[in-house]
Every structure is written in structure tokens, then in C-alpha cells.
Amino acid sequence: MSQAELAVNFFVALFALIDPIGNVPLFAAATLGAASAGRRMVAVYIGLFVVAFLVFFYFTGVALLEFFGISMPAFRIAGGIILFILGLDMVRDDFTTMFADAAEGEGEPLSARVYAKKRFERLIVPFAMPLLIGPGAISTVIIYASEAKHLGLAGMALGVGVIAAVSVVLVATFWAAPVISKVLGRIGMSIVVRVLGLILCALAVQFVLIGVGDATRGLIRADAKAPYTAEK
């Protein structure tokens, strides 16, 4: 695999797994009512977290999971459970109230930096991880890191650049969240969040099915783990 092929394939795979565009309504709902500067800073914090976390796994691979004795199927199942809980909150329309600002600052306006820190602490789990950075993104980073090693130092540096580029696109997409919020409105945002919550619950169950299928032999059918690829 050449450097150009590595960069393109890695970027496309990682972008599809993180799905910045699909997560814009969730980010907009989580920062509803925030000032523009505060919302932008939250997006920057999330982008920096994505870079730091993925680069860490890019260089350490599965060594950390092996150190704790955690398999990738177990990690996938745990991520699926967390995503399912998030999906239920979204379907019940508890997602926006979960990030309510009523108790923060006792009604006093918060500076953009203080607001961003408080909101980011509440968005690390489950929004930044495992919603943005799930087992699929982590495993993809590990796989492409092994491919990059064959290209030497330049290949490893190229992989880090791809991770940074995806994070920049993620931040830029989240900065456009106010436009989407204005277009949809509060009612439209509530509808979108509930629909995405239902999809997220199904995705979480799929994570669990894949994790159980990878951890067992013959317990989960192949068409249940990958229904569309199994038909081809």
C-alpha cells in the first residue's frame, strides 16, 4: 500500500466511523442554548480529545487492552451497552435535559472557557466515547497503524496527519451546528434526536451482536453480525 492509498483509505474509513455530519444534531442538542463562543470551544475540546485518544491508540495498539486483559469483543459489547443507554435517553427526549444548564453557575452567565470545560466533562462519555470514538474507530486506527509501519517513519507521520485532518473536519462540522439548529427549530431538533436515538439503540444492539459473535463460535449467525455483506 502506497502513502497516497494509505492516506485516502484511512481518512475515508475513519471519517465514516466517526461520522461528524451524522452527529451534528446530537452536538447541537447537547449545546442547546449555549453562546456561540462556548459552543465553538466545546467543539475544539472534543476535536483535541479525538486527536489525543486516537493517536494514543495509533501508537500503542492493542497493548493497553492486553495489559488489562480486555479483548476487542468485550470492548465492543461494553461500548454497545453505553450507546444503548444513550439511545434510550434520546428516544425519551431526556438527552437535552441531561445537559441542562439550570444548575450551572446559578443563573449567572458563564465565560466561554468555563462553559466549555463544564460541558466537555459531561460529553466525554458517552458522546466523545464511544459515540464518536467507538470500537470500530479504535480497531481501524490499530489496523492502519500496522499498515503504516511498513512505510517507515513517513507512513506513521502520515497516519497521525490523517487523524488530525479528520478531527479538523469534525470541529468545522460542529461549528455549523447553529445553522442546523435554526433550520430545524426546537421541535424539529427533538424529532431528529428521537429518530437518531432509535437508530443508535439498533446500532448498539448490533455492536453487542458482533462482540458476542466474535467472542463465541456459532452462537451468532453471520447474517446477524453483518446482514448486508453476508448476502453478497
Side-chain angles (χ1 to χ4, degrees):
M1 181 180 292
S2 66
Q3 291 186 5
E5 291 175 339
L6 174 69
V8 173
N9 294 343
F10 190 17
F11 181 90
V12 171
L14 196 58
F15 182 86
L17 287 167
I18 293 179
D19 192 14
I21 298 176
N23 285 298
V24 163
L26 303 184
F27 177 80
T31 56
L32 197 63
S36 177
R39 183 185 293 108
R40 286 173 177 256
M41 193 160 292
V42 172
V44 171
Y45 283 171
I46 292 176
L48 292 176
F49 176 81
V50 169
V51 170
F53 198 87
L54 290 183
V55 167
F56 175 77
F57 270 95
Y58 185 74
F59 286 105
T60 61
V62 296
L64 186 63
L65 296 180
E66 291 178 352
F67 176 79
F68 289 104
I70 302 172
S71 65
M72 186 58 69
F75 188 81
R76 188 183 293 273
I77 293 172
I81 294 173
I82 295 176
L83 284 181
F84 188 80
I85 296 174
L86 174 62
L88 285 180
D89 288 334
M90 292 165 58
V91 170
R92 294 189 308 231
D93 206 21
D94 293 337
F95 186 76
T96 55
T97 58
M98 181 170 58
F99 300 107
D101 289 325
E104 296 182 3
E106 298 180 353
E108 297 178 3
L110 300 175
S111 66
R113 186 176 298 273
V114 173
Y115 169 83
K117 288 182 178 179
K118 286 180 175 290
R119 186 47 46 93
F120 176 68
E121 290 174 359
R122 305 181 69 177
L123 285 176
I124 293 178
V125 177
F127 185 77
M129 179 181 175
L131 186 56
L132 293 179
I133 309 175
I138 293 175
S139 59
T140 298
V141 165
I142 294 173
I143 291 171
Y144 279 98
S146 64
E147 293 288 340
K149 286 182 179 180
H150 299 297
L151 301 176
L153 185 60
M156 297 299 291
L158 183 64
V160 174
V162 169
I163 295 174
V166 172
S167 300
V168 170
V169 174
L170 174 69
V171 173
T173 305
F174 282 174
W175 279 8
V179 178
I180 298 177
S181 300
K182 290 181 179 179
V183 172
L184 294 178
R186 187 176 295 271
I187 296 178
M189 186 67 67
S190 178
I191 295 174
V192 170
V193 168
R194 291 192 180 198
V195 172
L196 289 177
L198 180 60
I199 296 175
L200 195 59
C201 285
L203 180 63
V205 173
Q206 191 67 42
F207 277 2
V208 173
L209 287 176
I210 295 174
V212 173
D214 291 342
T216 58
R217 181 174 298 177
L219 183 61
I220 304 296
R221 293 181 350 209
D223 59 344
K225 289 176 54 180
Y228 301 106
T229 56
E231 295 176 355
K232 297 179 180 179

